[in-house]
Amino acid sequence: YNNYRNFVLLIFYVMLGCWYGACMLAWDFCDMMRKYATLHGFKLMGPQYGTGFLDLPPPWTLLKDYRKTGRIDDDVILRAVFPFLLFVSICMFVFFLDHMRSIAKGYTTLEKKTRPGNAVNPFDLGATKNFERVFGCSLINMTIPFPTRTK
């Protein structure tokens, strides 16, 4: 179960990192979008590039600006990174919950997809024992992605 444990921990840490990044950028993003909407009004297609509400420039424009000035505008980076982090964190959260439910029921991903819903799972030991089989008994070792011995 160490591979599965490490995979679930990877999902958890990616989700946690994306939530952290989104939380750190949320206030600046909301403040910037509020100023942007006050200045240009709310337009579904942005006033400058016409690429949607975020009004992100096309990649070739970003490259041309970077070659000319040696940097990309902070507002453009914020308008691109915050929604991306938020989207990835939500997707990882759903993915993480699905795997937690599978662990609690004692299924692997393959068994979950191929076994009929009403079939009895012979490997299900109860949610607590299933989590101990995958993550181990120690709370400290449970969150560290190093190999551990499980019962």
Side-chain angles (χ1 to χ4, degrees), residues 4-79:
Y4 190 53
R5 177 178 161 269
N6 290 336
F7 175 68
V8 171
L9 286 177
L10 173 72
I11 294 169
F12 175 73
Y13 285 126
V14 168
M15 175 191 71
L16 205 63
C18 288
W19 277 121
Y20 176 75
C23 288
M24 293 297 289
L25 296 175
W27 184 261
D28 292 332
F29 178 79
C30 291
D31 188 46
M32 183 203 53
M33 291 307 288
R34 190 178 314 111
K35 288 177 185 174
Y36 197 75
T38 303
L39 184 63
H40 299 289
F42 181 81
K43 295 181 180 176
L44 195 54
M45 298 308 279
Q48 189 174 5
Y49 299 105
T51 57
F53 178 66
L54 295 174
D55 201 27
L56 294 170
W60 53 86
T61 306
L62 281 175
L63 184 62
K64 186 175 72 176
D65 289 346
Y66 180 74
R67 285 183 177 165
K68 188 179 359 173
T69 63
R71 63 185 303 272
I72 298 174
D73 186 28
D74 294 339
D75 288 349
V76 172
I77 292 172
L78 187 59
R79 287 194 316 252

Side-chain angles (χ1 to χ4, degrees), residues 57-111:
W60 53 86
T61 306
L62 281 175
L63 184 62
K64 186 175 72 176
D65 289 346
Y66 180 74
R67 285 183 177 165
K68 188 179 359 173
T69 63
R71 63 185 303 272
I72 298 174
D73 186 28
D74 294 339
D75 288 349
V76 172
I77 292 172
L78 187 59
R79 287 194 316 252
V81 171
F82 176 76
F84 176 75
L85 287 176
L86 194 62
F87 175 74
V88 170
S89 63
I90 290 169
C91 291
M92 288 291 116
F93 180 69
V94 171
F95 199 46
F96 180 71
L97 285 182
D98 184 50
H99 281 281
M100 288 291 107
R101 187 174 41 233
S102 295
I103 291 171
K105 293 183 178 185
Y107 285 122
T108 63
T109 307
L110 184 61
E111 289 172 339

